[in-house]
Amino acid sequence: MGPAELVQAAAMARRFYLEGKSKIQIAEEFGVSRFKVARVLETALERDLVRIEIRVPAELDAERSDALRARYGLRHAVVVESAADSDDAPDPENLGDVAADLLGELVTEGDVLGIAWGRSTIHMASALHRLPPCTVVQLTGVYDAGTADSGSVEAVRRAADVSGGEAHPIYAPMLLPDSATAAALRGQTGIARAFDYFDKVTVACVSIGSWAPGISTVYDMLSEDEREHYASLGAAAEMSAHLFDAEGRRIGRDLGERCITVEADRLRRIPEVVAIAGGHRKAAAIGAVLKSGLVTSLVTDTAAADHLLLETGPGPRPALDRADPDGS
């Protein structure tokens, strides 16, 4: 390219890339055809006159995020850099920070936001700094009634304070001794009021646990005999007190009858269900829950993403096909 061509190409590139003008507008300004403008812009890229950089914050892995979204048919997949490569490393703390920013994008004024119990969801709530006016409802009971001040009840109240909306917490344990006790609690006024909102939830935030000690709250709450029983049924993952085998089929439905939690069918009807989970030790469980069809978006880390992207065969597309994990 001669000097006149270089100057013209630079000017056209500035108009197009920096000033946001269309090719037609540029063509009119320079008295050429829009096809000529297109050729000049293409040549500018080929000759390295223009360099395009796609830059995201260092903690976000855009390539893995897009690959994971496409592989599993998710609406949104956000992958953050793993804090550690150890197999027993906990969920990276920045998962909650990134999930809080994602909710700030997804929730719109008038939505009903549901928050389930989970260490990741509680961290997400504490990291919230902006939410449009919305109602916030608790989707599960708490791990222990004595932890309400620092657990999911507080998470719901924190989100409601940020949004300026109503809060509907559930002051009850997640797991009860039997189904009769759970049913009685569901009938109590405050809890029933929260349950009434379940069908109105438009965006839900959940966490995922593997069926192992310290990685699933429900696992930790059960007796050893109960753990072995559900393991014999093929339990591989737990989400909001619902158990799934490796293929995403829901098992151990009797456990749900003893729990204060949103029903799986109601969860499936929520338009946007965002799961927060990461790490090597949760990777297989995340895959199982994705196969269930209950989750539409995922915030995870590179360790889990690499495992999920190694899966072969046709992948589930939960955001496109909200499958019934009960198979009915």
Side-chain angles (χ1 to χ4, degrees):
M1 299 177 73
E5 290 177 311
L6 284 171
V7 170
Q8 184 184 69
M12 288 183 176
R14 177 175 295 279
R15 304 291 194 280
F16 186 73
Y17 292 109
L18 299 183
E19 298 176 12
K21 291 187 176 180
S22 70
K23 293 175 184 176
I24 293 176
Q25 290 174 313
I26 297 170
E28 290 176 351
E29 178 182 348
F30 286 87
V32 298
S33 72
R34 61 186 176 89
F35 302 106
K36 168 72 172 177
V37 173
R39 287 195 298 272
V40 170
L41 292 175
E42 183 177 346
T43 301
L45 285 171
E46 292 173 351
R47 301 292 179 86
D48 208 26
L49 184 63
V50 173
R51 296 181 182 180
I52 298 176
E53 288 186 331
I54 300 174
R55 303 179 66 181
V56 296
E59 66 175 358
L60 299 182
D61 192 311
E63 185 175 351
R64 283 185 175 92
S65 297
D66 187 58
L68 198 61
R69 179 202 56 77
R71 174 72 177 81
Y72 286 91
L74 297 165
R75 288 201 185 94
H76 306 280
V78 183
V79 178
V80 305
E81 290 293 336
S82 300
D85 295 327
S86 172
D87 287 346
D88 59 356
D91 286 6
E93 290 188 3
N94 56 351
L95 288 186
D97 298 333
V98 173
D101 289 339
L102 178 61
L103 281 189
E105 293 182 55
L106 298 181
V107 176
T108 59
E109 185 172 352
D111 275 346
V112 177
L113 171 63
I115 300 179
W117 161 267
R119 296 178 183 90
S120 296
T121 54
I122 290 170
H123 187 90
M124 176 277 300
S126 67
L128 283 171
H129 295 292
R130 63 182 179 93
L131 273 180
C134 64
T135 299
V136 186
V137 60
Q138 192 170 325
L139 295 178
T140 63
V142 298
Y143 174 49
D144 183 326
T147 66
D149 288 341
S150 59
S152 45
V153 169
E154 179 58 29
V156 168
R157 294 200 175 280
R158 163 69 181 171
D161 285 343
V162 172
S163 74
E166 294 181 1
H168 295 275
I170 294 177
Y171 295 98
M174 181 189 295
L175 179 66
L176 281 305
D178 51 62
S179 58
T181 304
L185 275 179
R186 292 188 201 105
Q188 290 189 356
T189 303
I191 297 175
R193 186 180 300 115
F195 267 65
D196 287 341
Y197 271 92
F198 287 177
D199 287 328
K200 303 173 186 176
V201 173
T202 51
V203 180
C205 193
V206 301
S207 63
I208 296 172
S210 298
W211 197 242
I215 320 178
S216 164
T217 300
V218 173
Y219 181 99
D220 292 339
M221 287 191 289
L222 296 174
S223 68
E224 188 59 36
D225 288 344
E226 290 171 322
R227 295 168 186 166
E228 292 178 359
H229 166 66
Y230 293 118
S232 71
L233 297 179
E238 176 264 317
M239 179 180 70
S240 301
H242 299 296
L243 306 184
F244 305 88
D245 67 12
E247 298 305 315
R249 294 181 292 257
R250 197 159 70 95
I251 62 172
R253 277 170 274 179
D254 60 311
L255 178 63
E257 296 173 0
R258 295 170 49 196
C259 293
I260 302 297
T261 185
V262 60
E263 299 94 327
D265 191 54
R266 276 176 156 174
L267 198 59
R268 181 165 58 94
R269 294 196 298 268
I270 296 173
E272 184 74 82
V273 179
V274 181
I276 312 170
H280 287 288
R281 61 182 188 170
K282 284 189 177 182
I286 296 168
V289 172
L290 288 180
K291 292 175 184 177
S292 77
L294 294 179
V295 168
T296 61
S297 295
L298 176 67
V299 178
T300 190
D301 69 343
T302 52
D306 286 343
H307 174 92
L308 293 167
L309 291 171
L310 286 175
E311 291 283 336
T312 58
R317 301 181 67 79
L320 305 177
D321 178 19
R322 302 302 294 280
D324 184 347
D326 293 337
S328 58

